[in-house]
Amino acid sequence: MFTLVSDRSKYFRIKCVATRAEIEKELGCPVFGEIFTGGIVELGERMRAIRTGPHDTYKTISQRLKIDEEELKKANNFKPLYPSCRLFIPCKK
């Protein structure tokens, strides 16, 4: 026999039709995978979000914020950057 223990604060159920951007804004962390009503999203660590500028790249942002470029790319699922793009920044521990 076993007992299933889950940490409710690690999961979020999508209650209505919402876009990925709306869910990410509400949760404060990136959302990966398929988004649909009734779906369950596993929450990652809290991150802060910034808006990118016209000439920002992962390299310039990582240098400015003094974080690892690969960690920044991974946190944002390697998405391409464009001006006013919402970019998640891992919080330092």
Side-chain angles (χ1 to χ4, degrees):
M1 251 169 82
F2 64 92
T3 303
L4 177 63
V5 178
S6 68
D7 183 3
R8 292 179 139 246
S9 64
K10 287 180 62 176
Y11 301 97
F12 173 78
R13 181 179 298 276
I14 302 169
K15 297 183 180 174
C16 62
V17 178
T19 64
R20 183 177 309 278
E22 291 170 338
I23 295 169
E24 288 177 343
K25 185 177 181 182
E26 176 75 25
L27 300 177
C29 64
V31 175
F32 304 113
E34 192 176 350
I35 302 297
F36 56 92
T37 301
I40 297 176
V41 175
E42 184 174 355
L43 304 179
E45 64 181 72
R46 283 284 203 196
M47 299 187 185
R48 65 186 175 107
I50 63 168
R51 294 281 179 192
T52 58
H55 301 288
D56 281 340
T57 64
Y58 281 113
K59 184 174 184 173
T60 59
I61 293 169
S62 65
Q63 289 173 345
R64 184 173 64 228
L65 300 174
K66 296 177 177 61
I67 58 174
D68 182 50
E69 182 180 354
E70 286 302 312
E71 183 182 358
L72 184 61
K73 286 180 180 180
K74 187 176 177 185
N76 290 281
N77 203 23
F78 299 91
K79 71 179 176 184
L81 300 183
Y82 53 88
S84 75
C85 173
R86 185 182 179 104
L87 192 68
F88 288 99
I89 309 298
C91 295
K92 294 182 181 178
K93 296 173 182 165

